[in-house]
C-alpha cells in the first residue's frame, strides 16, 4: 500500500460519529469478482466470450443507466433491474444474446451479490467499529448490499442504500437520507469512497470525506483515478490507514 | 423455558429466506433495562421516584403516542421525539418535572438506546444466520435500533425500522416496506414478535409469523399476554427453540 495522507483545509474530524462506506470498488473488488464469476459461467455453458471486455462494457452501461435515473429520464429502478437491462446490451454487442437463457441471465445479475472484499477491509472495519457507527452506503440495492456484506462477513453496523432515498449517488438526497437515518448532522458523518464523484456528492451534503485509493478497482488494464484531483478531508491508501489516522 | 410449539394451518415455511425480529420486548428486555437505568439516574440526582410506576407510565404514553401517529392525528415523528414528549407527561404526573433538567431528560430518552438482550438471543441468532438473512424490524428509529444492536453485539445482517416507511407497526406499510427492501415476497419473510398486535400486522401483510413468549417483557408484576389468543404459524419459547424448529 502506498501511503500518502493529506489533511486538508483543517476540517474538524473530532465530531465524526459514523462512517459511511461506498461499496463497489471501495469496499469490494467488484472487477475481479465479476470477471471470475462471469468466466466460470461462460465456461460452464461453453460460451466464447471476451470476459474482460464484457465486464468493462457492463460497468459502462451501468453508469449510463444511473445517469438516466439521475437525469429524470426514467423512474427510479432497483439496481438488479438496471444490471439486467445493461446485461442485455452487453450480450447483444458480444453477439451471444441468443445463447444465454433466462436462468443464466439471472445468475449473471446475481454475481454482483457475491464479491470479494479488498484484503484490508475486514481488519480496518474491526479497528474502527468501537469508536464509530459503520454503515455501507451503496448505489446497490438494500438487499443486494446486505447480501454482499453478509457473504463477506464484514462487521458493518447497518446497511444504507441509495434505495432508501430512491435516488442514486451522487444525488444529494442519498447522503441527506443517510444522515437523517443515522440521526446525525452531515458534519458528524464521514464518507469513504474510491471515486471522486462520490466524494464530491458527500461534500456537497456537508459530510466529512476520506478518499481511498483503489488503483485496480476497474481492473489492472485501466488507468486509476488521480487522487490529486479530488477535494476531500483525507486521502488514504486503505482502511487500515484510515483507522490509523482516526486513532483506532 | 417452557416449550410449546404450535405448527398451525400447514403454512409452508420452506420459502422463508429472511427473518425480521421485533426489538423492544422480543429481542431486548426493555423493562429491566429501563428500570435499572432510570433508577441509577434518579439516585444520581437525588430524585425520589417510583421507578416501576414511572416506567410503566412511560410505556403506556408511548403506545398512545404511536396511536396518534397511526390514526393520523399527528405527523410521523422520530421515536426519540415521541419518547421525550411522553417522558414529560411521566415527570409531570410523578410531580418531579421541575427537578429534572434538559441534560438529564436527554439521558433518560437515551436509556432506550442501550438495553440488555434476552439471554437466548445472541446464541439463537448465531444459529439462524447461516440459513437466513436476519433483520431487526423495530418501531424504534433506524439509528436507535442500530445503537441497540451494536451495543449488544448481536449478529443482525441489517437494520430495518418503521422509520423506513414513516409509519408505525402494525401499519401494513412497515411490513410492506421491509419486504420491498429485502427484495422478497412477503411469504418469504418471517416476523418474530412477542406481541399479538405485531404478529397480526405481519400476517395481514402476508408474512409468515412466529410468536415468541416473553412473559416478563412488561415486568414481573404484569400479567403476560396469552399466546393462545394469537393466530400465527409458530409459537416458541425463545430464539433457540425457533432455531430448532427451522432446522438450524
Amino acid at each position: 500500500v502506498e501511503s500518502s495522507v493529506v489533511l486538508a483545509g483543517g476540517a474538524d474530524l473530532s465530531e465524526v460519529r459514523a462512517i459511511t462506506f461506498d461499496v463497489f470498488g471501495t469496499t469490494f473488488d467488484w472487477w475481479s469478482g465479476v470477471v471470475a464469476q462471469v468466466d466460470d459461467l461462460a465456461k460452464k455453458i461453453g460460451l466464447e466470450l471476451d470476459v474482460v471486455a464484457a465486464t468493462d462494457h457492463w460497468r459502462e452501461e451501468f453508469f449510463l443507466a444511473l445517469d438516466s435515473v439521475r437525469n429524470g429520464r426514467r423512474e427510479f429502478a432497483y439496481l438488479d433491474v438496471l444490471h439486467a437491462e445493461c446485461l442485455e446490451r452487453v450480450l447483444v454487442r458480444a453477439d451471444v444474446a441468443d445463447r444465454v437463457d433466462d436462468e443464466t441471465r439471472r445468475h449473471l445479475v446475481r454475481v454482483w451479490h457475491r464479491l470479494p472484499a479488498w484484503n484490508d477491509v475486514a481488519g480496518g472495519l474491526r479497528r474502527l467499529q468501537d469508536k464509530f457507527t459503520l454503515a455501507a452506503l451503496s448505489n446497490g440495492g438494500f438487499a443486494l448490499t446486505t447480501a454482499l456484506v453478509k457473504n463477506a462477513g464484514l462487521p458493518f453496523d447497518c446497511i444504507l442504500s441509495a434505495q432508501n432515498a430512491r435516488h442514486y449517488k451522487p444525488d444529494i438526497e442519498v447522503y441527506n437520507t443517510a444522515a437523517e437515518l443515522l440521526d446525525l448532522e452531515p458534519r458528524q458523518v464521514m464518507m469513504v469512497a474510491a471515486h471522486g464523484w462520490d466524494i464530491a456528492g458527500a461534500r456537497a451534503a456537508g459530510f466529512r470525506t476520506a478518499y481511498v485509493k483503489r488503483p485496480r478497482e476497474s481492473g489492472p488494464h485501466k488507468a486509476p483515478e488521480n487522487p490529486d484531483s479530488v477535494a476531500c478531508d483525507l486521502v488514504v491508501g486503505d482502511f487500515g490507514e484510515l483507522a490509523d489516522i482516526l486513532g483506532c
Side-chain angles (χ1 to χ4, degrees), chain A residues 164-176:
Chain A
N164 291 120
R166 297 185 66 81
H167 277 264
Y168 281 112
K169 294 188 290 182
D171 284 0
I172 198 166
E173 289 86 348
V174 179
Y175 310 96
N176 288 345

Side-chain angles (χ1 to χ4, degrees), chain A residues 9-20:
Chain A
D12 182 4
L13 302 182
S14 68
E15 294 185 299
V16 172
R17 296 288 171 271
I19 309 179
T20 52

Side-chain angles (χ1 to χ4, degrees), chain A residues 6 194-197 199-200 203 211 224-232 235:
Chain A
V6 180
H195 313 106
W197 56 266
I199 294 287
R203 273 172 78 89
Y211 181 88
E225 191 174 46
N226 178 5
D228 295 342
S229 66
V230 179
C232 57
V235 176

Side-chain angles (χ1 to χ4, degrees), chain A residues 83-192:
Chain A
H83 268 154
E85 292 175 4
C86 295
L87 175 65
E88 182 60 29
R89 289 191 278 280
V90 171
L91 298 177
V92 166
R93 187 194 283 178
D95 204 20
V96 296
D98 57 352
R99 301 208 38 223
V100 179
D101 63 20
D102 286 351
E103 198 196 327
T104 304
R105 283 165 200 240
R106 278 193 295 274
H107 275 286
L108 284 165
V109 167
R110 290 180 69 89
V111 306
W112 295 89
H113 290 222
R114 186 180 289 269
L115 298 170
W118 297 105
N119 283 335
D120 54 281
V121 166
L125 293 177
R126 276 196 292 270
R127 288 173 59 196
L128 291 161
Q129 71 180 346
D130 284 346
K131 194 164 165 184
F132 301 100
T133 299
L134 305 181
L137 177 53
S138 182
N139 272 339
F142 186 87
L144 180 161
T145 308
T146 299
L148 273 175
V149 166
K150 183 180 179 76
N151 288 332
L154 301 180
F156 283 111
D157 297 308
C158 58
I159 305 297
L160 293 166
S161 162
Q163 188 184 5
N164 291 120
R166 297 185 66 81
H167 277 264
Y168 281 112
K169 294 188 290 182
D171 284 0
I172 198 166
E173 289 86 348
V174 179
Y175 310 96
N176 288 345
T177 299
E180 187 188 334
L181 286 170
L182 292 167
D183 197 26
L184 293 172
E185 299 297 322
R187 70 177 183 279
Q188 297 177 297
V189 187
M190 172 175 275
M191 182 78 210
V192 177

